[in-house]
Amino acid sequence: MVALCVVLSSFSSSCTPKLVNSGKYFTTAMIQRYNVLFQRITNSMSLRIGAGSGLPSKRVSCVRLVQPISITSKATNNAEEDAVRDVLTALSTIIDPDFGTDIVSCGFIKDLETDLSTGQVSFRLELTTPACPVKDMFEQQAKENVAAIKWVTKVNVTVSAQPSRPLVADGVPIGLQRVSNIIAVSSCKGGVGKSTVAVNLAYSLAGMGAKVGIFDADIYGPSLPTMVNPEQRVLQMVAETKSILPTEYLGVKLVSFGFADQGSAIMRGPMVSGVINQLLTTTEWGDLDYLVVDFPPGTGDIQLTLCQIVPLTAAVIVTTPQKLAFIDVAKGVRMFSKLKVPCVAVVENMCYFDADGKRYYPFGKGSGHQVVQQFGISHLFELPIRPELSAAGDNGIPEVVQNPQGEAANAFSSLGVCVVQQCAKLRQQVATAVTYEPSIRAIRVKIPGTQEEFFLHPATVRRNDRSAQSIDEWTGEQRLRYSDIPENIEPQIIRPLGNYAATITWPDGFNQIAPFDQLQALERLVDVPEPTNENIRPTTPILASKENTSEGQTSEHSGLTAAASLLTHAKALKAAKAT
């Protein structure tokens, strides 16, 4: 294995860690990443360095580092370093169509091993989701690109996916802490086929290789028990933990009030909200890539409860061609907009049917297009009128399972691809929305879903906190004085909070919630120099927190920064070789 170590202050009067290379190529951004995390990494060990490095041989204190890309080579010489560079340069030409950058920059390359003596190369592609629609293309291109290197005789590639987890686990109910994405399927109008879309979307995602669950949030009229036919039709409860075990059908986990064996629901709104909260948050969902929530019609207590108790990743809006459907659907889109839940797709159900070589639109056209145009939702999917689709729901076998090559199944498959791609983009945007640039002592803000990017002074952000600790809630009097915050204050940890804010931890231990809307209204820095990777101090652990980063594992935010530097370095090497 390649040895990397951080030389502590015995080698540096500035007490800034230095990275010593003992057989692995690295970049400045990697040094930044390691310096940022060095105070959190354990497993100290002693190692003699110096041979071949230009430094005096000396035994120093070292630590084993977290690596966004792990590399193993059979020897530690310049030839092996060149071999690793060749492989990463070849892989850096493969572009992820969702992120718009290459798979090295995305941090997808893991466990890279090279052996010049045999010409063998092996590595693992760790994708963001097992349902990645281009995973086969990635695998094929990776093999071809690496195999084209002159000295390579054999390429071994394995494909895996990142473990299921929410972007931020703080405040998420225990039962949902291993669910990566929660997708709302909503219409705000009954009878438009929302449950049909939710069930078939879920099974399309499962068919793509994802771990999926469905939560039927309609207490008064649950549809799930009719649309699927599991063997176990009654939910079970674990006596020790008081948690609910979901039932399962064809590999998809299911929870519905219809499986609670309670008969009809005759209860008032607050009681319904409590039942939904219990069913959703106390269920042992386990590891899920996607949890599809079938919303009931309306924009009342139940819908608000669902949006508030769980961090929804995105919403899919279902409508029909009639104008009346558009009026109600528009209310739902506005609700999600106010709650900062992005709507990623519109499904227009019962659009058309084909007969005699012609396509007919019996209910007219335009509802779906109106939603797209008025609210800026860029993806529209039209579903045909097909008796088989309705019959599949009544028979308890989803259409995408019963007829996977049919026209409706193809439409749901396209919808599934869209949901996968948009969720991946949203997670990346939210994870990098608010970051700290130590080299220029500024907070960078890039609002998700926009091209706007600006910088803020840390002291300005801290002084404008609007919580009860800073402002008297009764009188509006400012408790936090301007002079209480030093000009040179720097954040310690910045993490996303849902789709609408970031939490910032300051040196005094204060956790500030900074909504994106509030950050947009603050005074901005102008003429800000470009951030550099030099002079990064180890006192600003912004990219990962102690709770979320352990040995052998990096946070999503940290992997992106280090991997981006690999791309830059690999491209520079490629350009140098070309000249």
Side-chain angles (χ1 to χ4, degrees), residues 304-323:
L304 292 175
T305 297
L306 286 167
C307 292
Q308 291 170 352
I309 64 176
V310 296
L312 295 175
T313 307
V316 173
I317 304 301
V318 184
T319 185
T320 53
Q322 297 95 328
K323 181 179 179 180

PDB file of all heavy atoms in Angstrom, residues 304-323:
ATOM      1  N   LEU A 304     -48.980  19.591   5.036  1.00  0.00           N
ATOM      2  CA  LEU A 304     -47.996  20.387   5.763  1.00  0.00           C
ATOM      3  C   LEU A 304     -47.233  19.532   6.772  1.00  0.00           C
ATOM      4  O   LEU A 304     -46.026  19.700   6.960  1.00  0.00           O
ATOM      5  CB  LEU A 304     -48.694  21.546   6.486  1.00  0.00           C
ATOM      6  CG  LEU A 304     -49.285  22.630   5.576  1.00  0.00           C
ATOM      7  CD1 LEU A 304     -50.041  23.659   6.391  1.00  0.00           C
ATOM      8  CD2 LEU A 304     -48.202  23.296   4.750  1.00  0.00           C
ATOM      9  N   THR A 305     -47.940  18.602   7.418  1.00  0.00           N
ATOM     10  CA  THR A 305     -47.272  17.701   8.363  1.00  0.00           C
ATOM     11  C   THR A 305     -46.199  16.887   7.664  1.00  0.00           C
ATOM     12  O   THR A 305     -45.067  16.762   8.155  1.00  0.00           O
ATOM     13  CB  THR A 305     -48.298  16.757   9.023  1.00  0.00           C
ATOM     14  OG1 THR A 305     -49.224  17.527   9.779  1.00  0.00           O
ATOM     15  CG2 THR A 305     -47.604  15.754   9.935  1.00  0.00           C
ATOM     16  N   LEU A 306     -46.527  16.342   6.504  1.00  0.00           N
ATOM     17  CA  LEU A 306     -45.556  15.538   5.761  1.00  0.00           C
ATOM     18  C   LEU A 306     -44.344  16.364   5.363  1.00  0.00           C
ATOM     19  O   LEU A 306     -43.202  15.901   5.433  1.00  0.00           O
ATOM     20  CB  LEU A 306     -46.226  14.950   4.508  1.00  0.00           C
ATOM     21  CG  LEU A 306     -47.198  13.794   4.746  1.00  0.00           C
ATOM     22  CD1 LEU A 306     -48.018  13.517   3.494  1.00  0.00           C
ATOM     23  CD2 LEU A 306     -46.438  12.545   5.165  1.00  0.00           C
ATOM     24  N   CYS A 307     -44.567  17.605   4.924  1.00  0.00           N
ATOM     25  CA  CYS A 307     -43.452  18.449   4.494  1.00  0.00           C
ATOM     26  C   CYS A 307     -42.577  18.883   5.658  1.00  0.00           C
ATOM     27  O   CYS A 307     -41.392  19.173   5.464  1.00  0.00           O
ATOM     28  CB  CYS A 307     -43.977  19.679   3.754  1.00  0.00           C
ATOM     29  SG  CYS A 307     -44.742  19.325   2.149  1.00  0.00           S
ATOM     30  N   GLN A 308     -43.138  18.936   6.851  1.00  0.00           N
ATOM     31  CA  GLN A 308     -42.394  19.440   7.994  1.00  0.00           C
ATOM     32  C   GLN A 308     -41.661  18.359   8.781  1.00  0.00           C
ATOM     33  O   GLN A 308     -40.621  18.631   9.377  1.00  0.00           O
ATOM     34  CB  GLN A 308     -43.344  20.201   8.930  1.00  0.00           C
ATOM     35  CG  GLN A 308     -43.845  21.512   8.330  1.00  0.00           C
ATOM     36  CD  GLN A 308     -44.956  22.146   9.139  1.00  0.00           C
ATOM     37  OE1 GLN A 308     -45.479  21.547  10.073  1.00  0.00           O
ATOM     38  NE2 GLN A 308     -45.327  23.366   8.780  1.00  0.00           N
ATOM     39  N   ILE A 309     -42.189  17.139   8.795  1.00  0.00           N
ATOM     40  CA  ILE A 309     -41.558  16.111   9.636  1.00  0.00           C
ATOM     41  C   ILE A 309     -40.470  15.345   8.899  1.00  0.00           C
ATOM     42  O   ILE A 309     -39.651  14.681   9.540  1.00  0.00           O
ATOM     43  CB  ILE A 309     -42.604  15.119  10.196  1.00  0.00           C
ATOM     44  CG1 ILE A 309     -43.276  14.338   9.064  1.00  0.00           C
ATOM     45  CG2 ILE A 309     -43.600  15.828  11.061  1.00  0.00           C
ATOM     46  CD1 ILE A 309     -44.240  13.268   9.557  1.00  0.00           C
ATOM     47  N   VAL A 310     -40.453  15.420   7.560  1.00  0.00           N
ATOM     48  CA  VAL A 310     -39.416  14.705   6.807  1.00  0.00           C
ATOM     49  C   VAL A 310     -38.771  15.653   5.795  1.00  0.00           C
ATOM     50  O   VAL A 310     -39.434  16.552   5.274  1.00  0.00           O
ATOM     51  CB  VAL A 310     -39.988  13.470   6.065  1.00  0.00           C
ATOM     52  CG1 VAL A 310     -40.514  12.458   7.040  1.00  0.00           C
ATOM     53  CG2 VAL A 310     -41.074  13.872   5.090  1.00  0.00           C
ATOM     54  N   PRO A 311     -37.482  15.466   5.532  1.00  0.00           N
ATOM     55  CA  PRO A 311     -36.795  16.307   4.546  1.00  0.00           C
ATOM     56  C   PRO A 311     -37.060  15.808   3.126  1.00  0.00           C
ATOM     57  O   PRO A 311     -36.349  14.943   2.619  1.00  0.00           O
ATOM     58  CB  PRO A 311     -35.326  16.155   4.935  1.00  0.00           C
ATOM     59  CG  PRO A 311     -35.246  14.786   5.553  1.00  0.00           C
ATOM     60  CD  PRO A 311     -36.565  14.538   6.223  1.00  0.00           C
ATOM     61  N   LEU A 312     -38.078  16.347   2.488  1.00  0.00           N
ATOM     62  CA  LEU A 312     -38.397  15.930   1.127  1.00  0.00           C
ATOM     63  C   LEU A 312     -37.295  16.374   0.165  1.00  0.00           C
ATOM     64  O   LEU A 312     -36.875  17.535   0.181  1.00  0.00           O
ATOM     65  CB  LEU A 312     -39.732  16.524   0.688  1.00  0.00           C
ATOM     66  CG  LEU A 312     -40.979  16.050   1.446  1.00  0.00           C
ATOM     67  CD1 LEU A 312     -42.206  16.806   0.978  1.00  0.00           C
ATOM     68  CD2 LEU A 312     -41.186  14.550   1.258  1.00  0.00           C
ATOM     69  N   THR A 313     -36.850  15.454  -0.660  1.00  0.00           N
ATOM     70  CA  THR A 313     -35.825  15.781  -1.645  1.00  0.00           C
ATOM     71  C   THR A 313     -36.428  16.510  -2.832  1.00  0.00           C
ATOM     72  O   THR A 313     -35.882  17.515  -3.311  1.00  0.00           O
ATOM     73  CB  THR A 313     -35.125  14.503  -2.132  1.00  0.00           C
ATOM     74  OG1 THR A 313     -34.643  13.767  -1.008  1.00  0.00           O
ATOM     75  CG2 THR A 313     -33.964  14.839  -3.057  1.00  0.00           C
ATOM     76  N   ALA A 314     -37.553  16.018  -3.333  1.00  0.00           N
ATOM     77  CA  ALA A 314     -38.165  16.594  -4.525  1.00  0.00           C
ATOM     78  C   ALA A 314     -39.610  16.148  -4.603  1.00  0.00           C
ATOM     79  O   ALA A 314     -40.056  15.267  -3.850  1.00  0.00           O
ATOM     80  CB  ALA A 314     -37.398  16.172  -5.777  1.00  0.00           C
ATOM     81  N   ALA A 315     -40.349  16.749  -5.534  1.00  0.00           N
ATOM     82  CA  ALA A 315     -41.752  16.405  -5.736  1.00  0.00           C
ATOM     83  C   ALA A 315     -42.016  16.159  -7.214  1.00  0.00           C
ATOM     84  O   ALA A 315     -41.413  16.803  -8.087  1.00  0.00           O
ATOM     85  CB  ALA A 315     -42.661  17.518  -5.220  1.00  0.00           C
ATOM     86  N   VAL A 316     -42.927  15.223  -7.480  1.00  0.00           N
ATOM     87  CA  VAL A 316     -43.427  14.959  -8.837  1.00  0.00           C
ATOM     88  C   VAL A 316     -44.905  15.339  -8.846  1.00  0.00           C
ATOM     89  O   VAL A 316     -45.677  14.884  -7.991  1.00  0.00           O
ATOM     90  CB  VAL A 316     -43.243  13.479  -9.221  1.00  0.00           C
ATOM     91  CG1 VAL A 316     -43.919  13.190 -10.559  1.00  0.00           C
ATOM     92  CG2 VAL A 316     -41.761  13.126  -9.276  1.00  0.00           C
ATOM     93  N   ILE A 317     -45.312  16.165  -9.785  1.00  0.00           N
ATOM     94  CA  ILE A 317     -46.673  16.685  -9.848  1.00  0.00           C
ATOM     95  C   ILE A 317     -47.459  15.914 -10.913  1.00  0.00           C
ATOM     96  O   ILE A 317     -46.988  15.740 -12.046  1.00  0.00           O
ATOM     97  CB  ILE A 317     -46.676  18.185 -10.205  1.00  0.00           C
ATOM     98  CG1 ILE A 317     -45.819  18.958  -9.194  1.00  0.00           C
ATOM     99  CG2 ILE A 317     -48.089  18.729 -10.231  1.00  0.00           C
ATOM    100  CD1 ILE A 317     -46.272  18.840  -7.764  1.00  0.00           C
ATOM    101  N   VAL A 318     -48.657  15.447 -10.541  1.00  0.00           N
ATOM    102  CA  VAL A 318     -49.518  14.681 -11.446  1.00  0.00           C
ATOM    103  C   VAL A 318     -50.753  15.514 -11.775  1.00  0.00           C
ATOM    104  O   VAL A 318     -51.376  16.102 -10.879  1.00  0.00           O
ATOM    105  CB  VAL A 318     -49.932  13.335 -10.829  1.00  0.00           C
ATOM    106  CG1 VAL A 318     -50.752  12.515 -11.821  1.00  0.00           C
ATOM    107  CG2 VAL A 318     -48.703  12.555 -10.381  1.00  0.00           C
ATOM    108  N   THR A 319     -51.112  15.579 -13.047  1.00  0.00           N
ATOM    109  CA  THR A 319     -52.275  16.326 -13.484  1.00  0.00           C
ATOM    110  C   THR A 319     -52.941  15.601 -14.637  1.00  0.00           C
ATOM    111  O   THR A 319     -52.462  14.552 -15.092  1.00  0.00           O
ATOM    112  CB  THR A 319     -51.883  17.761 -13.900  1.00  0.00           C
ATOM    113  OG1 THR A 319     -53.058  18.504 -14.215  1.00  0.00           O
ATOM    114  CG2 THR A 319     -50.961  17.745 -15.113  1.00  0.00           C
ATOM    115  N   THR A 320     -54.059  16.146 -15.095  1.00  0.00           N
ATOM    116  CA  THR A 320     -54.742  15.671 -16.304  1.00  0.00           C
ATOM    117  C   THR A 320     -54.938  16.863 -17.226  1.00  0.00           C
ATOM    118  O   THR A 320     -54.724  18.018 -16.825  1.00  0.00           O
ATOM    119  CB  THR A 320     -56.098  15.026 -15.949  1.00  0.00           C
ATOM    120  OG1 THR A 320     -56.858  15.943 -15.151  1.00  0.00           O
ATOM    121  CG2 THR A 320     -55.901  13.737 -15.181  1.00  0.00           C
ATOM    122  N   PRO A 321     -55.354  16.635 -18.490  1.00  0.00           N
ATOM    123  CA  PRO A 321     -55.397  17.746 -19.450  1.00  0.00           C
ATOM    124  C   PRO A 321     -56.406  18.842 -19.135  1.00  0.00           C
ATOM    125  O   PRO A 321     -56.284  19.950 -19.664  1.00  0.00           O
ATOM    126  CB  PRO A 321     -55.752  17.044 -20.770  1.00  0.00           C
ATOM    127  CG  PRO A 321     -55.332  15.634 -20.588  1.00  0.00           C
ATOM    128  CD  PRO A 321     -55.572  15.340 -19.152  1.00  0.00           C
ATOM    129  N   GLN A 322     -57.422  18.606 -18.305  1.00  0.00           N
ATOM    130  CA  GLN A 322     -58.468  19.591 -18.092  1.00  0.00           C
ATOM    131  C   GLN A 322     -57.970  20.821 -17.334  1.00  0.00           C
ATOM    132  O   GLN A 322     -57.073  20.749 -16.497  1.00  0.00           O
ATOM    133  CB  GLN A 322     -59.635  18.972 -17.302  1.00  0.00           C
ATOM    134  CG  GLN A 322     -60.322  17.837 -18.017  1.00  0.00           C
ATOM    135  CD  GLN A 322     -59.762  16.482 -17.597  1.00  0.00           C
ATOM    136  OE1 GLN A 322     -58.578  16.355 -17.285  1.00  0.00           O
ATOM    137  NE2 GLN A 322     -60.613  15.479 -17.589  1.00  0.00           N
ATOM    138  N   LYS A 323     -58.604  21.950 -17.609  1.00  0.00           N
ATOM    139  CA  LYS A 323     -58.270  23.203 -16.938  1.00  0.00           C
ATOM    140  C   LYS A 323     -58.540  23.113 -15.447  1.00  0.00           C
ATOM    141  O   LYS A 323     -57.801  23.676 -14.623  1.00  0.00           O
ATOM    142  CB  LYS A 323     -59.066  24.349 -17.558  1.00  0.00           C
ATOM    143  CG  LYS A 323     -58.765  25.706 -16.940  1.00  0.00           C
ATOM    144  CD  LYS A 323     -59.571  26.809 -17.610  1.00  0.00           C
ATOM    145  CE  LYS A 323     -59.274  28.164 -16.965  1.00  0.00           C
ATOM    146  NZ  LYS A 323     -60.060  29.253 -17.597  1.00  0.00           N
TER     147      LYS A 323
END
